[in-house]
Amino acid sequence: AFAAQGRDIKMSEERIAGYRNFVNKIWNAARFTLMNLGEQAYGELPEEPELADRWILSRVGRVAGEVGQAIEEYRFNEAAGAVYQFVWHEFCDWYLELAKGPLYDDSDPERQETTRAVLAEVFSRLLRMLHPFMPFVSEELWQRLPGTADSIMVAPWPAADRLDPEAESQMELVMGVIGAVRNIRGEMGISPGQNVPVVLMAHNEQARQVLTGQAGRIQSLAKTGELSWAQEGQAPAKSAGAALPEVTVYVPLEGLVDFAAELARLDKELAKLDKEITPSRKKLANQGFLSKAPAEVVEKERAKVAEAEDKMARLQENLARIKSFG
C-alpha cells in the first residue's frame, strides 16, 4: 500500500510539473502577444487573410466548438485536453512562429497590422476557452489584453466560426514538409542553424502550388535554401527522404554529412541503445518479473523497450541509406 501511495505521489508531482510548464508556455505566449499588440485594441479581422491566419482562425473556431460541446456534456477531461493541445501544439508551437516573419517585417506595415489583428483575436479566444480550467491566470492575462474592460467571466464563449477546411488541409501539408526537414536534420546530425538544400517531389499539382506559395515560410522555419523540384521517380542522389501523402521531401546530404563519420556515429548510437534496453528486455522475458511486478512497472518497461526499438529502427534505416551511397 505504501509503495502504491509513493507511486501516486510521484505521478502527482509529475503532473504538477507538467501543468507548471503549460502555464509557463501560456505566460511566454502572452508576453510575445502583448509586446506585439502594444496598447491598440484590434476589433476587425482582415477580409482576405493569409493562409497561416486562415488556418489558425479556423482551428480556434473548431476547437472552441469542440470544447464548448464537451463542457456541456460534462466531458471535462476531453474539454481540457482539447484546449491544452490547441494552445501548446498549434498556437504556441506553430502559429507564433509563423507570425514572427510578418510581425518583424517593417517593410509591409499592412501585413503587420493584419497579423496583429489575428493574433489578438485568437489569443482572446483561447483565454476564454482556458478560463473554466485556469480562472486566475486567464483573468490576469485578459485584463492585460488591450480593449478588455470587463472581467473575462462575463465575456461570451468564442464562436465556432470561420471554419476553413481547405486552409487546415493546406497548412497540414506545409507543416508536414517543415517537420520532415527538421526530422531529417536531427536524425542525420545536421546543425539546426545550418541551411540545407531541399528537393520536393509533389504527387499532385495542387500540392505543388500550395508549397510554391508557402516557400518563404518553409525556408524560414525549416532553415532551407531555395526549394527545388523533382519529377516523379527521379529522387536526388545521396539524399535522405520522408514520404508524406502529397509530397516526398528530400534533403541531399553530399557536402553536409561526413558519411564515414556518420556511419561511426550511428553504429555507436545503436550499440548504446541496445545496451540500455538489454536489462528491460531481460525483465520482460522473466516470467517471475511479469507475474510479481505491479502492472504499471511492467508497462513502463514495455514502453521503454518500444521507444528504444522505434528509435533503433530509424537509426538502422539511416545506416542502410548511407551505406547504399557507396
Side-chain angles (χ1 to χ4, degrees):
F2 287 112
Q5 185 179 23
R7 288 193 298 272
D8 290 342
I9 291 172
K10 183 177 180 181
M11 289 179 63
S12 298
E13 289 176 349
E14 290 174 351
R15 284 191 174 186
I16 290 170
Y19 298 148
R20 177 201 61 200
N21 293 339
F22 183 55
V23 175
N24 285 341
K25 191 86 167 178
I26 295 169
W27 200 263
N28 289 333
R31 290 176 60 191
F32 174 84
T33 300
L34 296 172
M35 176 181 68
N36 281 283
L37 295 183
E39 299 298 321
Q40 181 176 345
Y42 289 85
E44 295 295 327
L45 289 172
E47 293 184 4
E48 297 183 3
E50 297 283 331
L51 176 60
D53 297 333
R54 288 169 52 204
W55 166 72
I56 197 65
L57 288 169
S58 180
R59 288 300 302 145
V60 75
R62 193 176 301 281
V63 173
E66 294 170 357
V67 174
Q69 183 175 352
I71 290 174
E72 288 179 1
E73 296 173 359
Y74 302 98
R75 294 182 286 111
F76 302 123
N77 186 54
E78 292 181 25
V83 69
Y84 176 96
Q85 292 296 324
F86 171 77
V87 172
W88 190 299
H89 298 295
E90 295 184 83
F91 180 72
C92 292
D93 284 357
W94 279 106
Y95 184 69
L96 293 186
E97 292 302 312
L98 291 163
K100 286 178 181 178
L103 287 172
Y104 296 161
D105 184 5
D106 293 333
S107 67
D108 192 349
E110 183 176 349
R111 182 77 184 93
Q112 278 184 323
E113 289 301 291
T114 294
T115 304
R116 289 186 182 117
V118 173
L119 182 60
E121 176 65 20
V122 175
F123 192 69
S124 165
R125 292 190 182 202
L126 72 82
L127 284 180
R128 284 177 274 164
M129 284 192 286
L130 284 169
H131 185 65
F133 312 102
M134 305 171 67
F136 302 110
V137 171
S138 57
E139 181 71 63
E140 176 70 22
L141 295 177
W142 179 262
Q143 293 300 327
R144 299 185 184 201
L145 196 62
T148 53
D150 298 323
S151 169
I152 194 173
M153 294 179 65
V154 296
W157 185 260
D161 60 1
R162 301 186 74 99
L163 303 186
D164 191 337
E166 181 182 61
E168 293 185 34
S169 174
Q170 291 179 355
M171 273 306 302
E172 285 294 326
L173 173 62
V174 173
M175 292 187 295
V177 170
I178 294 169
V181 175
R182 289 173 173 175
N183 288 341
I184 291 171
R185 185 195 299 275
E187 290 173 0
M188 303 308 298
I190 302 170
S191 168
Q194 183 177 2
N195 277 10
V196 296
V198 170
V199 180
L200 301 177
M201 184 186 294
H203 306 319
N204 59 69
E205 184 58 30
Q206 183 180 13
R208 179 164 181 152
Q209 290 178 3
V210 170
L211 295 172
T212 299
Q214 296 297 310
R217 291 190 183 278
I218 295 171
Q219 290 172 252
S220 174
L221 294 184
K223 295 289 190 299
T224 77
E226 292 290 330
L227 303 181
S228 55
W229 297 89
Q231 298 297 320
E232 288 280 0
Q234 297 180 0
K238 296 185 178 181
S239 62
L244 304 177
E246 294 185 88
V247 64
T248 301
V249 182
Y250 294 100
V251 175
L253 299 175
E254 195 160 24
L256 288 175
V257 175
D258 181 330
F259 294 135
E262 184 63 12
L263 284 173
R265 185 188 74 83
L266 291 171
D267 279 330
K268 184 177 179 180
E269 185 70 14
L270 282 165
K272 179 183 176 183
L273 281 170
D274 187 62
K275 183 178 179 180
E276 287 176 353
I277 65 171
T278 293
S280 296
R281 283 173 168 165
K282 289 181 178 178
K283 286 181 181 179
L284 295 174
N286 185 331
Q287 289 301 317
F289 170 78
L290 295 177
S291 61
K292 294 178 182 179
E296 59 268 26
V297 173
V298 175
E299 186 57 35
K300 183 177 180 180
E301 293 296 329
R302 284 177 175 157
K304 182 179 178 181
V305 170
E307 181 180 356
E309 288 180 342
D310 181 63
K311 185 174 182 179
M312 289 174 71
R314 295 197 304 272
L315 292 173
Q316 286 166 345
E317 287 178 6
N318 289 339
L319 192 67
R321 181 186 296 117
I322 292 175
K323 286 180 177 179
S324 72
F325 296 160

